[in-house]
């Protein structure tokens, strides 16, 4: 009786596996049959690169074909993103998109060379990235309200460092000014690390840095964290409260990491890839690694991601226009 029961379970499991594989093939017949290129429009070593390499490794195993990461950095992510916009929509080229490349670039750059909505199909939202408002350890500011009061008393007197227009640091600063009714002076650096060096050295007053990048300085007490840009407290930075609770009602600024395919990519391919990405993001191993990169796992599929992207474009378009920023 026991052996019969075991054989029945084994047969059922085999049938389930066969049905799953058959469903996958039916959903995207013949795909993938060759290497998939995963374009990262930023330099190696950053959050986008780390997310891409983690996802590529996992997707290669699940799809049975290599997923190869290629870095194509330059001009706020434009170069690599343009390349994917013009790629064959066959499911063999995707791009790691962010709030910069797929939401706010059009508001800063007139000759973008691609439309972040019309030229792409959102596949999946991998995760969200929050910033922390930090000041140097010996800063006179101990609270967000003190920063607001000083900024109101000295229009353009306080400085904040960014890695350029449209970055999460810049957008955080713009939203801070919009909600608080203040004016800050942006100091642009080639990378976030240099802004943190100048912050510690006293050359600038504050930085809205990603939590992952700021953490070593926070842990070593070289900077003070005054708040975080997420709507809710962060599990990996429990001592910091959201800026929305600290005198900036409605404040929420989170960058994001997503995967896009060229417009016209077959729906069955997009659906299959979205399911695989969601499954990868749900694994404890990947979730832990994403959190180490400062990325809160998400996993929303194509339709929900598309809706989210449109809401981000609308939100940040208003903030940027209210700030009087014109595209160059």
């Amino acid at each position: 009786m026991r052996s019969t029961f075991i054989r029945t379970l084994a047969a059922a499991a085999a049938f389930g596996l066969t049905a799953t594989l058959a469903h996958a093939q039916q959903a995207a017949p013949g795909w993938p049959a060759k290497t998939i290129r995963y374009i990262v429009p930023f330099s190696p070593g950053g959050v986008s690169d780390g997310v891409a390499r983690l996802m590529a490794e996992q997707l290669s195993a699940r799809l049975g074909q290599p997923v190869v990461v290629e870095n194509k950095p330059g001009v706020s992510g434009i170069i690599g993103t343009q390349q994917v916009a013009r790629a064959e929509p066959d499911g063999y080229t995707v791009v790691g998109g962010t709030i910069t490349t797929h939401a706010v670039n059009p508001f800063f750059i007139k000759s973008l060379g691609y439309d972040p909505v019309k030229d792409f199909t959102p596949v999946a939202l991998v995760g969200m990235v929050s910033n922390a408002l930090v000041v140097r350890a010996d800063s006179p500011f101990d609270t967000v309200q003190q920063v607001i009061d000083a900024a109101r008393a000295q229009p353009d007197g306080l400085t904040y460092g960014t890695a350029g227009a449209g970055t999460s640091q810049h957008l955080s600063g713009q939203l801070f000014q919009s909600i608080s009714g203040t004016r800050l002076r942006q100091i642009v650096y080639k990378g976030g690390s240099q802004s943190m060096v100048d912050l510690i050295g006293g050359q600038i007053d504050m930085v809205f840095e990603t939590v992952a990048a700021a953490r070593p300085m926070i842990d070593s007490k070289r900077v003070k964290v005054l708040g975080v840009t997420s709507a809710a407290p962060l599990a990996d930075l429990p001592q910091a409260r959201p800026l929305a609770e600290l005198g900036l009602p409605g404040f929420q600024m989170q960058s994001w990491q997503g995967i896009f395919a060229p417009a016209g990519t077959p729906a069955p391919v997009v659906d299959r890839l979205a399911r695989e990405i969601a499954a990868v993001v749900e694994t404890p191993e990947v979730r832990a690694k994403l959190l180490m990169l400062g990325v809160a796992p998400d996993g929303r599929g194509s339709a929900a991601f598309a809706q989210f992207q449109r809401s981000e474009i609308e939100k940040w378009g208003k903030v940027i226009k209210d700030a009087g920023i014109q595209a160059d």
Side-chain angles (χ1 to χ4, degrees):
M1 178 69 70
R2 179 179 175 81
S3 60
T4 301
F5 177 68
I6 292 174
R7 285 197 300 272
T8 301
L9 285 179
F15 175 80
L17 177 59
T18 301
T20 299
L21 292 174
H23 175 73
Q25 287 299 315
Q26 185 179 11
W31 183 91
K34 62 180 182 179
T35 298
I36 298 169
R37 300 169 64 221
Y38 188 143
I39 305 299
V40 176
F42 301 102
S43 300
V47 175
S48 292
D49 183 65
V51 168
R53 295 185 186 280
L54 174 60
M55 297 305 294
E57 178 186 10
Q58 298 291 322
L59 289 172
S60 294
R62 296 184 68 91
L63 295 172
Q65 291 288 346
V67 179
V68 178
V69 174
E70 297 181 19
N71 295 89
K72 303 287 183 181
V75 199
S76 299
I78 292 174
I79 292 175
T81 308
Q82 281 180 344
Q83 182 175 331
V84 177
R86 299 166 184 161
E88 188 72 25
D90 55 9
Y92 292 102
T93 307
V94 297
V95 64
T98 69
I99 190 173
T100 302
T101 60
H102 282 80
V104 302
N105 266 350
F107 299 107
F108 293 103
I109 302 168
K110 286 182 180 178
S111 302
L112 192 57
Y114 67 87
D115 186 303
V117 175
K118 294 179 181 178
D119 291 338
F120 295 90
T121 297
V123 178
L125 180 58
V126 177
M128 310 295 293
V129 182
S130 298
N131 288 0
L133 171 56
V134 294
V135 297
R136 66 182 184 275
D138 62 349
S139 169
F141 304 125
D142 293 313
T143 68
V144 173
Q145 190 59 54
Q146 289 175 348
V147 175
I148 294 172
D149 292 343
R152 285 174 177 165
Q154 312 169 55
D156 296 319
L158 298 185
T159 55
Y160 72 105
T162 81
T167 61
S168 65
Q169 299 99 329
H170 179 220
L171 295 177
S172 295
Q174 288 298 327
L175 190 59
F176 182 100
Q177 295 171 81
S178 176
I179 294 176
S180 64
T182 58
R183 293 209 312 266
L184 305 176
R185 186 156 51 94
Q186 178 189 195
I187 306 298
V188 178
Y189 295 88
K190 289 185 177 180
S193 60
Q194 186 57 49
S195 66
M196 291 295 284
V197 170
D198 275 11
L199 175 67
I200 293 169
Q203 280 75 46
I204 56 177
D205 295 301
M206 68 191 87
V207 177
F208 296 88
E209 187 54 275
T210 62
V211 171
R215 177 175 291 286
M217 301 299 182
I218 296 171
D219 292 344
S220 63
K221 301 189 184 306
R222 301 180 73 183
V223 301
K224 296 184 288 190
V225 55
L226 303 187
V228 291
T229 63
S230 54
L234 300 174
D236 53 340
L237 202 63
Q239 71 271 36
R241 291 168 57 197
L243 295 176
E245 300 176 1
L246 299 172
L248 295 166
F251 194 108
Q252 183 178 7
M253 194 288 129
Q254 288 179 290
S255 183
W256 35 268
Q257 296 287 328
I259 296 176
F260 292 81
T265 300
V269 172
V270 173
D271 292 344
R272 168 86 190 279
L273 191 52
R275 289 197 305 274
E276 298 293 359
I277 292 168
V280 166
V281 169
E282 282 299 313
T283 64
E285 175 191 1
V286 171
R287 292 181 71 84
K289 289 182 178 179
L290 285 172
L291 289 171
M292 287 179 63
L293 290 169
V295 180
D298 194 293
R300 266 175 277 188
S302 184
F305 186 19
Q307 183 178 3
F308 172 76
Q309 181 194 12
R310 288 192 295 270
S311 70
E312 286 285 273
I313 291 171
E314 181 179 355
K315 172 183 176 178
W316 293 109
K318 183 178 186 306
V319 171
I320 293 163
K321 288 174 183 175
D322 287 349
I325 298 171
Q326 300 293 321
D328 294 329

